[in-house]
Amino acid sequence: MNRLIVDVGAIRHNAGLVDRWILGHGGTWTFVTKALCGRKSLLAALADVSPMLADSRLDNLRAIRSVAPRARTMNLRLPSFSELPELVALSDLTLHSEGAVLDAVAAEAARQRRRHQVILMVELGELREGILPGGLEALYRRAAEHESLEVVGIGANLGCLSGLVPAIEQFQQMALYREFLELKFDTKLPLLSVATSVALPLLREGKLPSSANHFRIGDSVLLGSDLVHGGTIEGLRDDAFLIEAEVVEMKEKSLSPLGDTSAAIRPFADFETEDPEPGERGYRALVSLGHLDTDIASLTPIDPRVRLAGASSDLTAVNVAGDSPAFRPGDRIGFRPGYSALVRLLAGRYLPPIELIGTESISPLPAAEAEIPVG
């Protein structure tokens, strides 16, 4: 049987280190739980790692509320009209770029007798959500007219769709937009929410402007990822997740197909990581993990003898170096998942049993001193 081993201690180590970095910067941060896909055992073990938890789906926000009813929550996906009643009930803070949606959220918050916090999103070139800078003044004015809303800041997304590498000038530009609104409307906007995991390398290099004071972090806490340079950010751990897939066949075979091949026949994209010589033979294992389970191309074998060779919907083939079989049927081969593999696995209906380790010494992490303001 396959299994997913999650080292909660590794994730909490990353969260604690990120927390210290951000507090030293004078900021605060929100833990993005999207990749956990509402899995309650994981949420329960990690609900206290930051002052606020953020997700983009109602099911996941509902799961957060069920395991951590006192947690403050942020909705990361722009609200849909069809989900407003439950969205306002489940989240304390939402992101906005559309005036009509702001009006509807304000009306729903008033109906629920709640004061709902909002961040206005600005387009900086990533071409995801955000209003063009020229419309920011009018959008703020529209939000400020509603007593049931509290605008706590402005924000932007970088590196989440187009892979745009953030530049210092973009953070400085956002600081000027915030300053303009504060002067124009004689108000204070405490949050400049422009930093995600992609900004952590800039923070560690001392290049991130202090005005960028709110971070939305998921990938780097869960996987330790350095999204700018590749690899792992120094000090963070990349070993929190391990997928173990059971070997169902181990044979010596030809390592290349015997005959003509056609991409039209192959149901999934080819990602073979090595190019065997025609007629070359070697050991090949099949494991009970396929494209229906996860993003196979985003897996990294932890055994240096193992190389991904291809996958179908239900099985993955790996070539195994050596002069004798390294595995037998029933053994497991371990893989580290990248972000896309982790999300696909945890979101899927074929998720194997989850085994939590590193939970023995869990104690609440210190709350961030620079808390997100409460309306």
Side-chain angles (χ1 to χ4, degrees):
M1 178 182 292
N2 300 341
R3 64 179 176 176
L4 173 63
I5 301 173
V6 182
D7 189 336
V8 174
I11 301 172
R12 293 179 69 86
H13 164 84
N14 289 350
L17 199 52
V18 167
D19 188 66
R20 289 195 290 275
W21 292 342
I22 292 175
L23 287 179
H25 179 74
T28 188
W29 70 290
T30 293
F31 177 36
V32 176
T33 64
K34 289 189 299 182
L36 302 182
C37 300
R39 300 295 174 179
K40 291 184 180 181
S41 61
L42 300 178
L43 291 171
L46 299 169
D48 64 338
V49 301
S50 77
M52 179 176 275
L53 304 179
D55 215 297
S56 59
R57 297 182 183 267
L58 291 182
D59 283 348
N60 297 347
L61 289 168
R62 198 179 300 115
I64 291 171
R65 287 289 193 216
S66 72
V67 301
R70 299 177 61 185
R72 301 199 67 240
T73 55
M74 172 192 287
N75 179 65
L76 291 168
R77 186 163 63 178
L78 297 180
S80 303
F81 284 115
S82 59
E83 63 185 21
L84 292 186
E86 193 169 14
L87 178 69
V88 171
L90 291 173
S91 59
D92 301 296
L93 172 62
T94 49
L95 310 179
H96 290 270
S97 62
E98 289 285 350
V101 179
L102 268 174
D103 295 341
V105 168
E108 181 59 36
R111 190 187 69 79
Q112 295 186 25
R113 297 182 178 179
R114 300 189 64 186
R115 193 147 193 252
H116 189 77
Q117 295 182 332
V118 300
I119 288 176
L120 306 181
M121 299 299 286
V122 182
E123 170 59 59
L124 289 183
E126 175 68 9
L127 302 180
R128 210 176 87 159
E129 75 269 56
I131 192 168
L132 293 177
L136 183 57
E137 178 184 348
L139 187 64
Y140 177 86
R141 189 187 303 277
R142 190 164 181 171
E145 290 175 350
H146 297 291
E147 292 185 358
S148 60
L149 298 183
E150 179 189 8
V151 183
V152 295
I154 62 173
N157 261 309
L158 297 171
C160 297
L161 178 67
S162 303
L164 189 68
V165 178
I168 301 302
E169 293 76 16
Q170 292 168 315
F171 298 109
Q172 295 170 335
Q173 188 178 0
M174 286 292 291
L176 291 175
Y177 295 150
R178 180 176 67 169
E179 183 179 356
F180 166 76
L181 292 177
E182 289 180 333
L183 292 173
K184 176 74 175 181
F185 295 97
D186 190 23
T187 189
K188 281 293 181 183
L189 299 174
L191 299 185
L192 192 60
S193 184
V194 291
T196 60
S197 292
V198 77
L200 284 180
L202 291 175
L203 174 65
R204 298 302 296 136
E205 294 165 7
K207 298 178 181 179
L208 190 69
S210 59
S211 55
N213 65 355
H214 180 243
F215 295 69
R216 308 184 303 274
I217 306 292
D219 195 322
S220 293
V221 165
L222 295 172
L223 300 174
S225 308
D226 184 333
L227 298 181
V228 175
H229 307 104
T232 305
I233 296 177
E234 184 177 0
L236 298 185
R237 292 178 59 177
D238 64 356
D239 60 346
F241 295 90
L242 174 64
I243 301 170
E244 290 189 336
E246 185 173 348
V247 176
V248 294
E249 179 185 291
M250 183 75 196
K251 301 290 186 184
E252 184 184 8
K253 297 184 178 184
S254 171
L255 299 183
S256 56
L258 303 178
D260 296 333
T261 62
S262 169
I265 298 175
R266 189 185 303 120
F268 299 99
D270 185 21
F271 58 85
E272 190 166 345
T273 57
E274 52 187 12
D275 189 18
E277 296 293 329
E280 182 182 354
R281 297 182 64 82
Y283 286 99
R284 171 165 288 194
L286 297 181
V287 297
S288 56
L289 192 74
H291 286 290
L292 284 176
D293 301 282
T294 188
D295 179 5
I296 301 298
S298 182
L299 297 178
T300 300
I302 62 171
D303 190 321
R305 297 171 297 177
V306 174
R307 294 289 185 272
L308 290 172
S312 66
S313 57
D314 302 306
L315 294 169
T316 293
V318 297
N319 293 336
V320 185
D323 297 327
S324 61
F327 304 99
R328 295 178 299 178
D331 291 342
R332 294 191 185 102
I333 296 178
F335 302 88
R336 297 286 180 206
Y339 189 83
S340 61
L342 181 64
V343 170
R344 285 265 304 276
L345 188 76
L346 287 173
R349 60 178 295 190
Y350 303 112
L351 176 68
I354 298 176
E355 179 182 334
L356 300 185
I357 64 174
T359 61
E360 300 83 2
S361 59
I362 286 182
S363 59
L365 295 176
E369 297 171 4
E371 293 186 351
I372 293 175
V374 178

